[in-house]
Amino acid sequence: MIVIVDYDAGNIGSVANICRKAGGKAEISADPDRIAAASKLILPGVGHFGRAMERLNASGIRAALDAAHARGAPVLGICLGMQLLSGHSVEGDADGLGWIPGRTIRFDVPAPLKVPHMGWNAVRFVRPDPLAEGLEEEARFYFVHSYHVVPEDEGDVLGVTDHGGRVVAAVRRGNVWGIQCHPEKSHRYGLTFIRNFIEKVPGA
């Protein structure tokens, strides 16, 4: 069973829907005990990094996530959820989960490019990975974000896109994955990505 973490930070219903469409069983939960015991976890999210971390810490979900991560449960962070995997964000000057060493920064792009970065972008996966199987070299995903993750270790970079320069679109370190776009809004490419997480990654 996949647990989708509910911490009042986004439309988690659409994430549950794409999991079902991809053939998986997923439940939405804010219960730290259920989260800590999950075989797999999805950490979605939209909104403010600092406030999201405050909710995770105050609710006991942060400790549950750390426990699941420590025992090897696969975790997929989506959009803000990917940013929360990093060590620190300038948005709210807040520390994150720290599972992907690095920082989350705001876009600084020249005109006519805009912030937030919004729309369809090609994502190039830079190394083989179970979640990238079946995705052609220039798979397109839907993005809406003003901040992006800069990992300390280039080996954690899984996929890249472009918005005024190279942007890290996906990361992976051990049992932790993150994707900056919204797979649930990315049609067949997003469906393939989520199906891969369901079918090709063993649960803990």
Side-chain angles (χ1 to χ4, degrees), residues 75-78 81-82 85 158 169-172 176-180 193:
V75 182
L76 172 61
I78 295 176
M82 170 171 155
L85 304 175
L158 177 58
V171 292
R172 194 255 173 108
V176 175
W177 287 260
I179 190 161
Q180 181 60 67
F193 190 87

Side-chain angles (χ1 to χ4, degrees), residues 2 4 6 26 35 57 67 84 88 101 107 110 112 118 129 161 163 165 167 189 204:
I2 297 171
I4 301 168
D6 180 5
I35 292 166
N57 288 326
L84 297 175
H88 189 82
F107 277 111
M118 182 181 301
D129 190 87
T161 189
H163 189 63
V167 177
Y189 299 117

